[in-house]
Amino acid sequence: MHQILILSGKGGTGKTTVASAFINLSEAKAYADCDVDAPNLHLVMGAYEQEQKKDYFGLPKAVIDPDICISCNKCFEVCRFDAIKPGNPYKVLPIACEGCNYCIHVCPVEAIHSEEAKVGDLKLLKRNDEVFSTAMLLMGSGTTGKLVSEVKNQLKEVSSDHEVAILDGSPGIGCPVIASLSGVSLALMVAEPSVSGLADLKRVLASARQLQVPVAVIVNKYDSNERKSAEIEVYCYKEGIPFLGKIPYDKMALEAINTNRTLVEMNSKGAEAIKTIYEKTLRLMKERIHT
């Protein structure tokens, strides 16, 4: 299964708009939302017939047994994450606990133990022969990269016989992005024509190169800053990165989202631009496969 990942290096560039359009154009039967902190691909993909949900557990958290605790304060003294709340009884603040277990080792009466802590929900949605893998972290939870890997693994398990899968990537350049990039066939970077957009694009491109993932670049809302858009195009040319096109600012994108449709279902300039970019992406994919 060849995976096409839509990334940007920053949030708000239009990754989900492009990803949903690609799903529509390719008639993909397998796709995923790797933005587990704030998934939104489901907002434009409509309703599903089946939903399978299971708890996702992160690192174990410390728990103090109030019946055994003697309030010696040793756990409070060694906790560098300020996760211990003194009192009668002492308590552990789960959102602050990093699961280092130092408090467990220093407790003289063995009043502290660790327990698995739920940090999110892993979901698998089905509609006819389509499968959609996604997840949602609980507020303040970590281990984002691990949950992204679980989303991708779940998709592989249920759709290994599909030829192409479209992945809506995580924003930024951190751990979840690295997890999103791992093992994909092509990463399509959606750049924003701004100073921060170009800076973050360069950083996420560096991550993709380290993981030896083929990349290509497009610019969304290019006409909001044509000078910066041209700068991004020149940068790609100098770096030998395939530049597949530009998408104009399109007010129809808002209407598409509000009516649970993808942009390519609208009659607009933005839709035509994405269709052209999709065709170029397919050609690039075929070239990569045959070489």
Side-chain angles (χ1 to χ4, degrees), residues 47-160:
Y48 291 84
E49 299 166 352
Q50 301 177 40
E51 177 180 325
Q52 299 174 14
K53 183 167 69 172
K54 58 183 178 181
D55 296 339
Y56 175 73
F57 295 92
L59 295 172
K61 305 286 186 178
V63 178
I64 299 175
D65 188 335
D67 296 329
I68 302 176
C69 178
I70 59 174
S71 302
C72 66
N73 206 48
K74 289 184 180 293
C75 56
F76 177 79
E77 292 173 355
V78 301
C79 183
R80 62 183 299 178
F81 303 106
D82 297 324
I84 306 294
K85 183 180 180 181
N88 188 20
Y90 274 56
K91 295 181 180 179
V92 176
L93 303 175
I95 197 169
C97 179
E98 292 289 335
C100 69
N101 292 339
Y102 196 3
C103 57
I104 295 176
H105 294 294
V106 301
C107 181
V109 293
E110 298 183 354
I112 309 176
H113 63 280
S114 63
E115 291 182 358
E116 282 191 326
K118 178 183 174 181
V119 296
D121 293 307
L122 186 62
K123 298 180 181 181
L124 183 66
L125 307 175
K126 295 182 179 180
R127 178 176 57 204
N128 297 325
D129 55 349
E130 295 179 34
V131 288
F132 175 25
S133 181
T134 184
M136 181 68 182
L137 274 176
L138 298 180
M139 287 189 295
S141 300
T143 66
T144 312
K146 290 184 178 180
L147 185 51
V148 170
S149 297
E150 287 296 319
V151 168
K152 294 174 65 179
N153 290 337
Q154 178 176 248
L155 185 67
K156 288 180 182 178
E157 290 173 3
V158 299
S159 59
S160 57

Side-chain angles (χ1 to χ4, degrees), residues 22 38 133 151-152 177 186 193-194 197 208:
F22 272 37
S133 181
V151 168
K152 294 174 65 179
V177 171
L186 176 69
S194 64

Side-chain angles (χ1 to χ4, degrees), residues 7-288:
L7 276 183
S8 67
K10 69 183 294 294
T13 62
K15 293 187 305 299
T16 300
T17 298
V18 175
S20 60
F22 272 37
I23 292 169
N24 182 289
L25 292 169
S26 65
E27 298 182 349
K29 304 302 181 183
Y31 43 94
D33 191 342
C34 296
D35 182 6
V36 298
D37 290 292
N40 57 8
L41 182 59
H42 62 281
L43 297 178
V44 292
M45 296 311 299
Y48 291 84
E49 299 166 352
Q50 301 177 40
E51 177 180 325
Q52 299 174 14
K53 183 167 69 172
K54 58 183 178 181
D55 296 339
Y56 175 73
F57 295 92
L59 295 172
K61 305 286 186 178
V63 178
I64 299 175
D65 188 335
D67 296 329
I68 302 176
C69 178
I70 59 174
S71 302
C72 66
N73 206 48
K74 289 184 180 293
C75 56
F76 177 79
E77 292 173 355
V78 301
C79 183
R80 62 183 299 178
F81 303 106
D82 297 324
I84 306 294
K85 183 180 180 181
N88 188 20
Y90 274 56
K91 295 181 180 179
V92 176
L93 303 175
I95 197 169
C97 179
E98 292 289 335
C100 69
N101 292 339
Y102 196 3
C103 57
I104 295 176
H105 294 294
V106 301
C107 181
V109 293
E110 298 183 354
I112 309 176
H113 63 280
S114 63
E115 291 182 358
E116 282 191 326
K118 178 183 174 181
V119 296
D121 293 307
L122 186 62
K123 298 180 181 181
L124 183 66
L125 307 175
K126 295 182 179 180
R127 178 176 57 204
N128 297 325
D129 55 349
E130 295 179 34
V131 288
F132 175 25
S133 181
T134 184
M136 181 68 182
L137 274 176
L138 298 180
M139 287 189 295
S141 300
T143 66
T144 312
K146 290 184 178 180
L147 185 51
V148 170
S149 297
E150 287 296 319
V151 168
K152 294 174 65 179
N153 290 337
Q154 178 176 248
L155 185 67
K156 288 180 182 178
E157 290 173 3
V158 299
S159 59
S160 57
D161 56 337
H162 291 81
E163 185 177 352
V164 177
I166 307 297
L167 309 182
D168 187 8
S170 305
I173 56 171
C175 180
V177 171
I178 294 172
S180 299
L181 279 165
S182 178
V184 302
S185 305
L186 176 69
L188 180 64
M189 308 295 183
V190 183
E192 178 186 82
S194 64
V195 175
S196 62
L198 178 56
D200 290 329
L201 172 67
K202 291 179 179 178
R203 296 172 72 184
V204 76
L205 284 170
S207 297
R209 284 171 174 167
Q210 288 182 330
L211 295 171
Q212 299 181 334
V213 174
V215 298
V217 173
I218 64 174
V219 176
N220 190 27
K221 296 174 284 190
Y222 82 93
D223 46 354
S224 62
N225 189 334
E226 295 194 32
R227 180 177 179 182
K228 186 59 65 173
S229 178
E231 187 178 336
I232 293 172
E233 190 171 356
V234 169
Y235 169 78
C236 292
Y237 176 77
K238 290 181 178 179
E239 294 294 318
I241 300 169
F243 185 84
L244 303 185
K246 299 179 289 188
I247 304 170
Y249 175 76
D250 194 343
K251 293 182 179 180
M252 296 297 288
L254 182 60
E255 182 179 340
I257 293 171
N258 289 337
T259 54
N260 289 109
R261 289 185 287 176
T262 64
L263 184 57
V264 290
E265 296 175 68
M266 316 298 285
N267 184 19
S268 67
K269 292 182 179 179
E272 293 304 314
I274 291 180
K275 290 175 182 177
T276 301
I277 288 169
Y278 170 72
E279 292 170 359
K280 291 181 179 179
T281 303
L282 281 188
R283 287 199 294 270
L284 181 61
M285 278 282 293
K286 291 178 181 178
E287 291 174 4
R288 297 284 186 184

